């Protein structure tokens, strides 16, 4: 597995990481045996960056990671800020500290490698106090580094203004390309590591869905497809599911011959050098091999990259609901 430097953290992490939202059961029921098999396979494949959050399964994702042997090279990141104790307007230094301590306990560590603010409301970010509290948690030794997971370009640029911000987690994929223009260059200039989430747009870019595909009622792709529970951009990148399926069919005609669509989508992200790691979630351990294979694929030709950018502007961006 190829590695990249995660910004000013200095961590060398696998360029294909593991998103652990599904370990909390938020994509439908997932048993302990399957969860452990996913982590086993990730470890065997050399995936050394695992990303979780305290609200994934109300701590279940973190607990499952904490119960799994990880080895010295794995970096575990978690997120805070969306639990009822904090969100949407109860943020305080003590509240953040309590969240960090609880996450560390579930993960079985004394100090967390990386803690990210988890889609904190923009007005809280603009107020600025929360960044100082995160700096103090680092000084206290509870956290080695902090970053932020954001929903929009504007929020990302705001976080980049903070000297203590070491990483930025963003939505970035073939159906959400806006970060390439301004955000990625500024992050590189400030040595902030970029963590890409939703690289397959909630599975749309696997190419395996049809307009008739249905999802478990406990899956956010069922209950949040129109933004009923949280930001619509977190599900199918904010695109109506049926339209997303149509756009994916267009993409299949642009993919290099013999390259599965999922690997094409991941390779496109990796061809942006500012990206440190891509956290791809899986519901089955055998899906990990397909994700990892994208790391070995050759870079896409510049002409194709340009064509994909033009296609996004003309066909995709007008379809996105919510702020980008």
């Amino acid at each position: 597995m190829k590695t990249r430097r995660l910004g000013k953290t200095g961590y060398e992490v696998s360029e294909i990481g593991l998103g652990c939202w599904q370990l909390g059961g938020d994509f439908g029921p997932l048993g302990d045996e399957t969860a452990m098999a996913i982590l086993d396979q990730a470890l065997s494949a050399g995936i050394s960056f695992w990303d979780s959050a305290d609200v994934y399964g109300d701590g279940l994702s973190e607990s499952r990671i904490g119960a799994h042997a990880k080895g010295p090279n794995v970096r575990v990141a978690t997120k805070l800020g969306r639990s009822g104790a904090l969100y949407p307007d109860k943020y305080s230094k003590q509240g953040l500290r309590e969240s960090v301590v609880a996450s560390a306990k579930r993960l079985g560590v004394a100090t967390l490698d990386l803690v990210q603010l988890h889609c904190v409301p923009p007005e809280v970010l603009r107020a600025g106090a929360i960044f100082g509290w995160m700096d103090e948690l680092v000084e206290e030794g509870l956290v080695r580094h902090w970053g932020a997971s954001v929903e929009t370009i504007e929020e990302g640029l705001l976080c980049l203004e903070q000297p203590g911000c070491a990483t930025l987690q963003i939505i970035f994929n073939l159906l959400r390309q806006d970060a390439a223009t301004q955000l990625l260059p500024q992050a590189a200039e400030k040595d902030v590591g970029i963590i890409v989430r939703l690289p397959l747009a909630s599975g749309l870019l696997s190419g395996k869905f049809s307009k008739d595909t249905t999802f478990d009622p406990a899956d956010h792709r069922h209950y949040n497809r129109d933004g009923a529970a949280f930001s619509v951009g977190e599900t199918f990148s904010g695109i109506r599911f049926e339209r997303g399926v149509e756009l994916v069919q267009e993409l299949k005609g642009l993919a290099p011959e013999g390259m599965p669509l999922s690997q094409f989508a991941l390779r496109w992200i990796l061809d942006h050098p500012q990206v440190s790691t891509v956290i791809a979630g899986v519901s089955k351990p055998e899906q990990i091999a397909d994700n990892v294979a994208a790391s070995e694929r050759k870079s896409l030709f510049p002409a194709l990259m340009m064509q994909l950018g033009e296609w996004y502007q003309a066909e995709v961006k007008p379809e996105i609901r919510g702020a980008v």
Side-chain angles (χ1 to χ4, degrees), residues 17-299:
L18 180 68
C20 297
W21 191 358
Q22 77 285 4
L23 298 188
D26 299 295
F27 287 73
L30 188 79
D32 286 338
E33 185 176 342
T34 301
M36 291 300 114
I38 288 171
L39 295 176
D40 284 342
Q41 188 60 37
L43 202 59
S44 297
I47 295 178
S48 62
F49 185 81
W50 301 358
D51 178 84
S52 187
D54 58 1
V55 292
Y56 294 169
D58 194 23
L60 178 59
S61 175
E62 289 180 329
S63 295
R64 283 172 161 170
I65 293 170
H68 193 278
K70 290 170 280 297
N73 297 322
V74 173
R75 297 292 181 179
V76 176
T78 194
K79 299 186 286 291
L80 57 81
R82 297 291 291 193
S83 70
L86 297 170
Y87 182 83
D89 57 3
K90 299 185 288 292
Y91 295 94
S92 68
K93 178 186 173 183
Q94 183 59 27
L96 293 183
R97 189 182 190 282
E98 289 172 0
S99 292
V100 164
V101 169
S103 288
K105 183 176 181 181
R106 286 189 290 269
L107 289 167
V109 298
T111 303
L112 294 167
D113 289 331
L114 173 66
V115 173
Q116 304 155 92
L117 296 172
H118 193 182
C119 299
V120 168
E123 57 270 22
V124 175
L125 297 178
R126 293 189 194 102
I130 197 167
F131 300 123
W133 298 334
M134 296 302 291
D135 287 335
E136 290 180 41
L137 290 173
V138 173
E139 293 170 4
E140 192 176 341
L142 292 173
V143 176
R144 291 190 177 90
H145 302 280
W146 70 265
S149 178
V150 298
E151 293 175 342
T152 68
I153 301 296
E154 179 188 0
E155 293 165 9
L157 293 173
L158 179 60
C159 292
L160 287 178
E161 295 175 3
Q162 312 304 317
C165 183
T167 65
L168 199 59
Q169 185 175 139
I170 61 171
I171 301 171
F172 186 56
N173 57 54
L174 281 165
L175 301 179
R176 182 67 74 86
Q177 299 185 22
D178 302 84
T181 304
Q182 183 181 11
L183 189 66
L184 294 189
Q186 287 202 23
E189 182 181 332
K190 295 177 181 294
D191 197 20
V192 171
I194 292 292
I195 302 163
V196 171
R197 74 176 185 277
L198 299 175
L200 299 182
S202 307
L204 264 180
L205 290 168
S206 70
K208 297 177 181 178
F209 298 159
S210 72
K211 292 183 181 180
D212 297 325
T213 300
T214 59
F215 301 94
D216 189 282
D219 190 325
H220 76 99
R221 294 173 294 185
H222 172 83
Y223 65 79
N224 193 62
R225 65 167 56 196
D226 294 314
F230 43 83
S231 171
V232 69
E234 299 287 345
T235 304
F236 304 127
S237 289
I239 298 170
R240 286 188 306 105
F241 177 71
E242 293 78 10
R243 178 58 177 147
V245 172
E246 293 173 354
L247 291 168
V248 166
Q249 289 302 313
E250 295 178 19
L251 268 179
K252 287 181 178 179
L254 299 176
E257 185 176 357
M259 185 182 295
L261 186 63
S262 59
Q263 293 180 23
F264 176 41
L266 292 172
R267 187 65 254 173
W268 178 86
I269 299 170
L270 291 172
D271 283 345
H272 292 81
Q274 303 95 334
V275 171
S276 298
T277 186
V278 182
I279 50 173
V282 299
S283 58
K284 301 175 183 177
E286 54 266 30
Q287 294 170 327
I288 287 177
D290 185 65
N291 293 340
V292 169
S295 178
E296 301 303 322
R297 292 280 183 179
K298 292 182 179 179
S299 294

